[in-house]
Amino acid sequence: MQDSYLPDKIMPSSSKTMLTAADQNLLGRYKADLRKNIRLFFVLFFFLVLLVLFSISFGSYRLGFWQIIRSLAGLEDGPAKIVVWDIRMPRIVTAVVTGCGLGVSGMAIQSLLRNPLGSPFTLGISQGAAFGASFSIVVLGAGTVVPAAGEALSGISGFYTTTIFAFLGAICATVIILMLARLRRMTPEAIILAGVALSALFTSGTILVQYFATEDQIARAIFWTFGDVTRSGWTEIAILGAVTAIVVFYYMFSRWNFNALEAGEEVSRSLGVHVERMRLVGMFSAALVAALATAFNGVIAFLGLLAPHIGRRLVGSDYRLLVPFSCLIGALLLLAADTGGRLLLGSGTLPVGVLTSFMGAPLFLYLLIKGMTK
Amino acid sequence: MILSVDGVHFRYNACPVLTDIRFELPRGKILALLGVNGAGKSTLLRCLAGILRVKQGSVIIDGKDALAMNGNELARHFAYVPQYHSDAPLKVFDMVLLGRKPHMTWGPSQDDLRRVEQILDVMGLRALAMRRSNRLSGGEMQKVIMARALVQEPQVLLLDEPTSNLDLRNQLQVMDLMKQAVGMQGLSAVVSVHDINLAFRYADNFLMLKDKTVHTLASKQDITPEMIKDVYGVDVILERVRDYKIVIPVEAATQ
C-alpha cells in the first residue's frame, strides 16, 4: 500500500470545534500524554519506595534511615539486619507482591468478563480458598499450632496442608466459573451473579464444616480467613512473586488484545484476537495468582476490585498503562493498609484484610450508584 | 476479482443460517447486501470477517484462501465495521490505532502512529483525537470506527448497517467516506443496508439474500421492482428523479 494514499481532505470537517494550536501537533500531544502517564507511574513508584522505607523504620525496634539503607544493602550486621530482613521485609515484600498480584488479577478479570465488578472476591475465588482452608483444618486436622500474630509461619506442620487446600478451593471456584462462562455462554452479568451464588455456597460450606469443629479448630479456621501479610516467608514470597511476574508479563504482552477487547468482542475477533483462548488463559492466570495470594495470606477482600478502578480513573482504559498501574496501585494500597493497621494498633497488628474491606466496600457501592460504568 | 465466495454454508448449532452462498466481487466495487431482517446479512459479514468460522465452502481473497489464514493475516485483508459499538472508554486515537494491531509485532511503530494521524485528518476527526470515545455522538463514533477500519488497510471493507443509527447528514457523510475510501485506496466493500435508496445511491452491485441463500446477484441497473417485491414482500415503484434511482414502497404485498 502506498504511503500517501489519500488526499488532504476527502471529507469536509464535520466537527464544530475549531482546531486549536495544540491540535496541530497531534502526534506530539499524543506522545506527551503517554509520557505524562509514565511520569505519573514513576511518581507513584517513588511513593511506594518511600512507603517501604517508612514501613521498615516503623516498629518497636528503632532504626535510623542510614541503618535501614545499610541493612538493605547488606552492610549492617546484628539486630538491625535481623529486624530488617527477617521481620519487617518479609511482611512488606509480601504486601507489595500480593497487592501487585491481586490488583492485576482483578484488572484481567474485569476486562475479560467485560464487567466492572469482576474480582477474585466477587467471583467466589477467595471464598473457595477459605472453604478449602477450613476443610483442611477441621476435617483433616491440619495446623496444630495457633498462629500467633506477627509470627512467621512457614515450616510449621500443617501450614502447607492448609495452603494447598486453600489453593484447591480457589481453583475449584475458578473452574466452575470458567465452565459456566464457556459452556453456557453466560452474559457478564450472569457470571457475576453466578459468582455471588458460588460465594454463598462456599461460605455455607465453610459454616457447615465449622459447625462440627472444636473451638480450637474454629479459632484457627477463622484466624486463617483474616487476610494477613505476616504469614509468608521468603519461599512463599518467591513462589507468588515468580508467578505474578510471569502473569504480568503475559498481560503486558497481550496489552493490545486487551485494548481490542475494549472495542467489543466481535471487533477484536475481526482484528485477529483469539478471544476464547485469551479469555481462558487470561482468566486462568488471574485465578492462579489470586488463588496463590489467598492461599498464602488468607482472604484480602476488594483489593482486586479497587486497584484497577483507581488505575482506570488515573490513566483510562489503555492496557499499556493499566497493567503496570494496577500492579503498582495494588501494591501501594496493600502496603498502606498494612502499615496503617500497624500504626493504628501501635505494637500489635490488625489483619490487613479487614482494612481493605473497609476501603473496598464503599467503592463497590459507589460503582453501583455510578451505573457500573467502567 | 478481489473476492470470490463459493458454496459457503453456515449453521448456528444445528440451525442453518446460510446455505450455498456464492458471489464474486470485482476490485474497487461496492456490493450492497440486502434482505429482510434475519435473512443472514450480518452472519455473512461475520463469516467473511472471520468472527464466525466457516466450515464448508471457499472464500478466496486476492487469490488467497481466506479460510486458511490466521487471525492477523485475515485482518490485513478484511476490516469489519460492526452494527453495535461498545462504549469503550479508549481515547479516539487509541481506538483508531487498534486498526494497526494486525500489522504490529510488539507495539505500534512511528509509521503506525503517522497513519492514524493521517486518517484522522482525512476524516475530520483530528479535534476529537484525545477525547474518550464513549463520549462521542453516534455519528462521530461511526466515523471513528470507519477510521479504524480504513487504517487497517484491508482489501475489502465489511460494513454491517453503517447508517442504521444516524441522521440524514451523517448517513450521507459515512457513505461518502466509504465510497471515497474505496475509490482512493482501491478497496472493495460489502455493505449491508436496510435503506434500498442508499444502496442505489452508493453501491455498484446488489446481493439479495432470501431464505438463507442468494436470491439475486446483479448490478444495480438490472434490479427490477419484481426482484424487490420477491425479496421484501413489498410492492414498489422504481423511479428515476434527476440522477437518482429511487424506490417508493407502495404497499406490503399479501402473500
Side-chain angles (χ1 to χ4, degrees):
Chain A
M1 189 68 55
Q2 66 275 30
D3 199 69
S4 210
Y5 45 86
L6 289 165
D8 287 346
K9 279 230 178 315
I10 58 173
M11 279 287 302
S13 168
S14 66
S15 56
K16 288 140 262 163
T17 0
M18 288 289 291
L19 288 185
T20 62
D23 287 324
Q24 300 300 336
N25 183 10
L26 179 57
L27 276 191
R29 246 181 100 203
Y30 178 73
K31 286 177 182 166
D33 213 56
L34 217 54
R35 273 198 300 275
K36 191 188 81 194
N37 285 324
I38 292 169
R39 269 202 304 278
L40 179 62
F41 180 85
F42 284 108
V43 169
L44 289 178
F45 186 78
F46 180 67
F47 273 119
L48 181 65
V49 172
L50 284 186
L51 191 58
V52 167
L53 290 178
F54 173 74
S55 196
I56 294 176
S57 75
F58 180 76
S60 46
Y61 186 89
R62 293 279 159 212
L63 284 167
F65 179 75
W66 289 110
Q67 236 177 336
I68 293 170
I69 301 292
R70 277 202 304 277
S71 304
L72 288 176
L75 299 173
E76 189 90 14
D77 272 322
K81 184 189 170 192
I82 292 168
V83 168
V84 169
W85 282 106
D86 294 348
I87 298 176
R88 294 188 194 162
M89 275 304 268
R91 173 179 195 150
I92 290 164
V93 178
T94 303
V96 168
V97 170
T98 308
C100 261
L102 289 176
V104 85
S105 129
M107 178 217 75
I109 292 171
Q110 285 167 18
S111 163
L112 294 169
L113 293 184
R114 303 188 53 65
N115 193 310
L117 297 182
S119 81
F121 189 72
T122 40
L123 286 184
I125 295 173
S126 307
Q127 290 83 348
F131 173 73
S134 290
F135 183 83
S136 80
I137 290 168
V138 176
V139 180
L140 305 176
T144 46
V145 177
V146 180
E151 190 180 322
L153 262 186
S154 40
I156 291 178
S157 99
F159 176 61
Y160 281 110
T161 317
T162 307
T163 305
I164 289 165
F165 271 84
F167 181 73
L168 290 179
I171 290 294
C172 177
T174 308
V175 168
I176 293 173
I177 289 285
L178 280 181
M179 268 173 27
L180 287 174
R182 208 174 146 73
L183 297 181
R184 308 289 330 153
R185 293 193 65 80
M186 283 168 79
T187 61
E189 289 79 11
I191 290 172
I192 294 294
L193 289 177
V196 171
L198 210 57
S199 305
L201 183 68
F202 277 122
T203 306
S204 39
T206 306
I207 292 171
L208 183 70
V209 165
Q210 288 176 354
Y211 182 78
F212 295 104
T214 64
E215 276 175 28
D216 173 53
Q217 287 170 328
I218 289 180
R220 253 182 290 142
I222 289 182
F223 207 94
W224 186 91
T225 53
F226 293 153
D228 194 357
V229 289
T230 58
R231 295 174 212 173
S232 291
W234 288 110
T235 320
E236 289 80 21
I237 292 173
I239 295 171
L240 183 59
V243 172
T244 305
I246 293 168
V247 168
V248 168
F249 181 79
Y250 166 72
Y251 290 154
M252 223 29 215
F253 184 76
S254 320
R255 65 206 183 288
W256 287 101
N257 294 351
F258 277 107
N259 275 359
L261 202 58
E262 287 291 305
E265 215 170 307
E266 297 208 323
V267 170
S268 46
R269 233 172 276 217
S270 79
L271 286 169
V273 181
H274 291 270
V275 176
E276 259 92 40
R277 195 169 69 195
M278 176 188 172
R279 194 164 271 165
L280 198 69
V281 177
M283 282 295 288
F284 184 78
S285 24
L288 184 67
V289 170
L292 277 176
T294 312
F296 289 149
N297 304 305
V299 178
I300 297 172
F302 286 114
L303 195 74
L305 187 71
L306 206 55
H309 277 292
I310 295 175
R312 283 202 171 86
R313 279 291 142 89
L314 290 177
V315 296
S317 283
D318 181 354
Y319 284 81
R320 283 178 290 178
L321 297 164
L322 197 55
V323 173
F325 269 87
S326 299
C327 287
L328 186 57
I329 292 166
L332 263 172
L333 284 178
L334 195 56
L335 185 57
D338 185 49
T339 311
R342 282 164 65 197
L343 281 172
L344 274 178
L345 287 199
S347 58
T349 162
L350 190 63
V352 70
V354 178
L355 271 164
T356 57
S357 294
F358 268 114
M359 294 193 298
L363 182 92
F364 203 100
L365 292 174
Y366 172 72
L367 287 174
L368 281 169
I369 293 163
K370 283 270 292 178
M372 300 206 275
T373 47
K374 271 211 266 187
Chain B
M1 289 297 153
I2 186 70
L3 177 65
S4 318
V5 174
D6 195 11
V8 164
H9 291 251
F10 185 81
R11 57 190 77 222
Y12 279 118
N13 301 323
C15 174
V17 185
L18 296 173
T19 47
D20 196 25
I21 301 293
R22 53 185 76 229
F23 69 91
E24 291 195 317
L25 177 62
R27 198 181 288 270
K29 296 287 180 196
I30 296 172
L31 179 70
L33 204 50
L34 298 159
V36 295
N37 291 331
K41 303 187 293 292
S42 294
T43 305
L44 177 54
L45 288 171
R46 286 193 190 115
C47 283
L48 294 176
I51 295 166
L52 301 173
R53 280 267 161 236
V54 176
K55 297 201 180 75
Q56 199 182 341
S58 82
V59 178
I60 307 292
I61 173 131
D62 203 14
K64 286 163 275 184
D65 181 4
L67 301 184
M69 287 180 182
N70 69 31
N72 278 338
E73 212 180 332
L74 199 63
R76 290 192 291 264
H77 289 85
F78 289 104
Y80 172 70
V81 175
Q83 193 170 354
Y84 303 105
H85 305 308
S86 83
D87 53 348
L90 282 174
K91 267 195 223 98
V92 168
F93 194 102
D94 288 329
M95 193 77 171
V96 177
L97 186 56
L98 282 179
R100 297 303 300 168
K101 201 192 92 59
H103 301 268
M104 287 179 201
T105 41
W106 169 256
S109 65
Q110 191 63 29
D111 181 57
D112 289 328
L113 297 178
R114 257 200 309 270
R115 279 166 201 259
V116 171
E117 188 186 25
Q118 201 178 7
I119 205 84
L120 287 171
D121 268 342
V122 161
M123 302 189 53
L125 295 169
R126 182 181 264 267
L128 302 177
M130 303 303 280
R131 276 222 225 139
R132 295 213 174 169
S133 51
N134 53 350
R135 309 250 166 89
L136 302 179
S137 73
E140 288 166 338
M141 188 63 186
Q142 190 69 44
K143 282 175 210 159
V144 169
I145 301 288
M146 288 277 287
R148 198 261 301 144
L150 289 177
V151 88
Q152 210 172 322
E153 297 187 343
Q155 303 279 338
V156 176
L157 275 176
L158 305 168
L159 302 113
D160 197 358
E161 311 259 359
T163 56
S164 55
N165 293 314
L166 304 183
D167 60 46
L168 201 54
R169 177 182 153 87
N170 275 312
Q171 284 187 11
L172 293 187
Q173 281 191 343
V174 162
M175 293 301 271
D176 279 335
L177 263 173
M178 176 198 67
K179 182 128 189 157
Q180 278 156 333
V182 163
M184 306 281 175
Q185 287 197 33
L187 307 180
S188 314
V190 184
V191 193
S192 78
V193 275
H194 271 307
D195 186 339
I196 310 177
N197 288 320
L198 272 182
F200 271 115
R201 183 168 172 145
Y202 288 99
D204 302 296
N205 298 326
F206 278 34
L207 179 70
M208 296 169 125
L209 294 179
K210 193 192 178 187
D211 297 333
K212 304 172 180 67
T213 191
V214 177
H215 177 274
T216 307
L217 174 64
S219 82
K220 73 174 161 193
Q221 287 79 19
D222 302 334
I223 298 296
T224 62
E226 288 69 38
M227 290 173 182
I228 295 172
K229 182 184 174 183
D230 209 25
V231 169
Y232 285 96
V234 174
D235 285 312
V236 297
I237 302 168
L238 213 49
E239 281 288 335
R240 180 167 282 279
V241 179
R242 299 203 188 152
D243 286 338
Y244 301 104
K245 210 175 205 180
I246 55 167
V247 174
I248 301 160
V250 179
E251 62 174 339
T254 46
Q255 287 175 339

